[in-house]
Amino acid sequence: MENLSQVLPRVLVVSRRTIRKNKFVDFVGEYHLDLIVRYGCVPVIVPRVTGVHMLLESFKPIHGVLLCEGEDIDPSLYESEISSLSPEELQEIRETHASDTSIDREKDSIELALAKLCLEQNIPYLGICRGSQILNVACDGTLYLDLEKELTNKLPEERRTRHIDYDNYDEHRHVVRIVENSPLHSWFKDSLDGEYMEILVNSYHHQGVKKLAQRFVPMAFASDGLIEGFYDPDTYNPEEGKFIMGLQFHPERMRSNDLDEFDYPGCPAAYQEFAKAVIAYQKKLSSSMSVPKTLVLDGEMESKRKILVRCFSLARYMYTKGATGKNPSKVSELEVGAEFLESNTALSTEQETRLKEMGATVRNGGSYMKKLKVDEEKQRIVRNMMNKMNIEQLSEIMAFYHLIGNICGELLEQRLRGNVNECFKDM
């Protein structure tokens, strides 16, 4: 259990700001978090604080994003024309919906950045209420500034829908018609009343989708024609980690007396299928990250690599052929050494032994073994001495020998480059 946080997929949820004890506090509705955890994911709260939209890379890996709750989105982000509403009407809207009309530009920046990241990288995204509006705006869709002023009041009485009830938040319901063969249809099909394809949903909003972004397809409509749910059919396959969806209503709140018993069995399905997609996306991401990438060298490093390959090939040739004073006459004779180095694999014990034997043969077996013993004794003495040193002393020695190693490497490269040039002249 202690490693679950490193294993379970991560779902980012942006908090909402409110005031408590004269101080700002961040919060997220627990219904959302409860369902995310229930279906096997870890919610990661993204605080709504200044500058977070510049730090989203720090929250990676991101396996899913759930956006919900919050104030109205800044109209300047989606309105290309001046609103048809009069100043008096806009003031009336601000007074009627005081808790929602206070624009939070920082939250807008964070959530729009996350929505666009999901759209660019096909990260599973579920938008509830405001989250669905953010998704539509991120794809160049637009919103009604106020449903009552711009939609409801222009319809006959029988088609009007009340989308918000401040006195009856959780219990408020209104009818939506579900589109056949949509994900919502598959989730609620056992609860639909025959030809009407209708269910009662909870909602709490005074704005909504006006122009749906082109990439999306509606899944549900209210009686007044407002789109209550939409998705991208080209990126909907939870089993393959694909899920981009927005719901204007609140399926997580459609339950009785705060119990787990929902109005319909299909209510938690959006969260369940979203979590399924998040888990699948995490597996795909982990799989792609585990594939080793080919090392790409710049021009200077590639030149150095070729010199090393050439030097190793010469040494390999001299060891295998016993030709200590001759250079190979053909480039093909160097291929064994080049392939040996290019393979980038560790030597086996047998290969190491064979190389030591070849080195001993060239230099004289007896003196070579004697030198090995002397080296081993030196290592033993140095190790005993260094075991008595503290961390600072060991660090200073390591830094010193790292410097010496760099100097030796530079000088060795110069010598090798000179020797290789001489070899090329003799060929």
Side-chain angles (χ1 to χ4, degrees), residues 126 128 184 187-188 243 245 247 251 266-275:
L126 174 60
I128 302 293
L184 276 180
W187 302 340
F188 289 94
F243 192 103
M245 181 178 294
L247 298 179
C267 286
Y271 291 82
Q272 188 172 11
E273 294 301 298
F274 169 66

Side-chain angles (χ1 to χ4, degrees), residues 181-387:
N181 298 324
S182 66
L184 276 180
H185 179 233
S186 65
W187 302 340
F188 289 94
K189 61 182 178 181
D190 293 335
S191 303
L192 298 175
D193 184 14
E195 59 180 302
Y196 292 104
M197 301 282 288
E198 294 176 347
I199 58 172
L200 293 171
V201 301
N202 168 262
S203 70
Y204 188 82
H205 60 102
H206 80 101
Q207 295 189 326
V209 171
K210 183 176 184 179
K211 183 189 76 175
L212 185 64
Q214 188 173 359
R215 69 182 292 168
F216 298 124
V217 172
M219 294 192 297
F221 294 90
S223 301
D224 56 12
L226 184 73
I227 296 173
E228 291 279 345
F230 58 88
Y231 78 119
D232 183 350
D234 294 330
T235 56
Y236 182 79
N237 191 328
E239 288 77 10
E240 294 184 4
K242 299 178 181 180
F243 192 103
I244 303 289
M245 181 178 294
L247 298 179
Q248 183 63 73
F249 64 93
H250 288 272
E252 80 283 355
R253 288 188 169 274
M254 292 164 57
R255 37 179 128 190
S256 303
N257 300 321
D258 292 332
L259 300 177
D260 283 341
E261 183 180 348
F262 288 89
D263 293 1
Y264 308 100
C267 286
Y271 291 82
Q272 188 172 11
E273 294 301 298
F274 169 66
K276 184 187 296 183
V278 170
I279 293 169
Y281 182 84
Q282 183 208 29
K283 290 179 180 178
K284 284 201 306 185
L285 189 63
S286 300
S287 176
S288 64
M289 291 176 65
S290 65
V291 177
K293 296 183 178 179
T294 303
L295 179 63
V296 178
L297 303 177
D298 58 27
E300 182 181 356
M301 291 299 294
E302 177 63 16
S303 177
K304 292 180 180 180
R305 185 191 70 81
K306 289 180 178 179
I307 292 173
L308 289 174
V309 170
R310 176 74 180 174
C311 294
F312 192 92
S313 300
L314 290 170
R316 179 73 170 171
Y317 175 82
M318 287 186 283
Y319 275 130
T320 55
K321 301 295 184 182
T324 57
K326 299 180 181 179
N327 288 320
S329 58
K330 297 179 180 178
V331 175
S332 61
E333 294 174 332
L334 305 178
E335 290 179 354
V336 174
E339 290 175 1
F340 177 77
L341 182 63
E342 293 276 19
S343 64
N344 196 29
T345 56
L347 294 174
S348 66
T349 304
E350 182 180 351
Q351 288 172 325
E352 289 180 355
T353 303
R354 177 59 179 156
L355 285 175
K356 288 179 181 179
E357 289 175 351
M358 288 189 290
T361 300
V362 174
R363 297 176 181 84
N364 178 280
S367 62
Y368 179 70
M369 294 304 295
K370 182 178 180 180
K371 183 176 182 303
L372 283 179
K373 291 182 179 179
V374 171
D375 289 343
E376 290 176 357
E377 180 63 19
K378 287 181 180 178
Q379 290 182 24
R380 186 185 64 80
I381 294 172
V382 171
R383 187 178 295 277
N384 289 338
M385 179 181 67
M386 295 180 71
N387 278 335

Side-chain angles (χ1 to χ4, degrees), residues 32-285:
H32 304 288
L33 307 181
D34 172 67
L35 289 168
I36 289 296
V37 172
R38 177 185 303 187
Y39 294 119
C41 300
V42 174
V44 177
I45 309 301
V46 179
R48 178 254 159 263
V49 292
T50 303
V52 167
H53 68 282
M54 302 293 291
L55 305 174
L56 295 180
E57 288 290 324
S58 303
F59 287 90
K60 288 187 173 179
I62 302 172
H63 305 122
V65 171
L66 167 67
L67 297 187
C68 52
E69 305 175 347
E71 296 80 0
D72 295 347
I73 301 168
D74 184 355
S76 66
L77 296 172
Y78 58 85
E79 279 292 314
S80 58
E81 300 177 358
I82 299 176
S83 172
S84 60
L85 298 175
S86 66
E88 292 76 21
E89 288 176 314
L90 292 173
Q91 180 59 34
E92 184 181 346
I93 292 169
R94 283 191 286 269
E95 292 174 356
T96 304
H97 308 286
S99 63
D100 295 326
T101 52
S102 55
I103 304 301
D104 188 340
R105 291 183 174 83
E106 193 63 38
K107 184 175 174 67
D108 289 345
S109 298
I110 297 170
E111 296 194 338
L112 279 172
L114 279 175
K116 291 176 180 178
L117 181 67
C118 291
L119 294 165
E120 291 168 0
Q121 301 183 13
N122 291 322
I123 300 172
Y125 177 104
L126 174 60
I128 302 293
C129 196
R130 171 189 157 98
S132 69
Q133 297 172 11
I134 282 284
L135 179 59
N136 188 49
V137 170
C139 295
D140 298 324
T142 65
L143 306 176
Y144 287 109
L145 288 176
D146 183 74
L147 292 173
E148 184 177 11
K149 301 292 185 186
E150 296 183 280
L151 179 64
T152 306
N153 292 346
K154 298 179 180 180
L155 295 173
E157 189 68 32
E158 65 272 12
R159 287 192 55 197
R160 295 183 180 185
T161 299
R162 187 177 187 184
H163 293 277
I164 189 169
D165 185 347
Y166 284 112
D167 298 324
N168 193 24
Y169 182 9
D170 288 328
E171 287 74 28
H172 175 63
R173 301 287 188 272
H174 67 80
V175 173
V176 298
R177 176 175 52 84
I178 291 179
V179 176
E180 193 172 3
N181 298 324
S182 66
L184 276 180
H185 179 233
S186 65
W187 302 340
F188 289 94
K189 61 182 178 181
D190 293 335
S191 303
L192 298 175
D193 184 14
E195 59 180 302
Y196 292 104
M197 301 282 288
E198 294 176 347
I199 58 172
L200 293 171
V201 301
N202 168 262
S203 70
Y204 188 82
H205 60 102
H206 80 101
Q207 295 189 326
V209 171
K210 183 176 184 179
K211 183 189 76 175
L212 185 64
Q214 188 173 359
R215 69 182 292 168
F216 298 124
V217 172
M219 294 192 297
F221 294 90
S223 301
D224 56 12
L226 184 73
I227 296 173
E228 291 279 345
F230 58 88
Y231 78 119
D232 183 350
D234 294 330
T235 56
Y236 182 79
N237 191 328
E239 288 77 10
E240 294 184 4
K242 299 178 181 180
F243 192 103
I244 303 289
M245 181 178 294
L247 298 179
Q248 183 63 73
F249 64 93
H250 288 272
E252 80 283 355
R253 288 188 169 274
M254 292 164 57
R255 37 179 128 190
S256 303
N257 300 321
D258 292 332
L259 300 177
D260 283 341
E261 183 180 348
F262 288 89
D263 293 1
Y264 308 100
C267 286
Y271 291 82
Q272 188 172 11
E273 294 301 298
F274 169 66
K276 184 187 296 183
V278 170
I279 293 169
Y281 182 84
Q282 183 208 29
K283 290 179 180 178
K284 284 201 306 185
L285 189 63

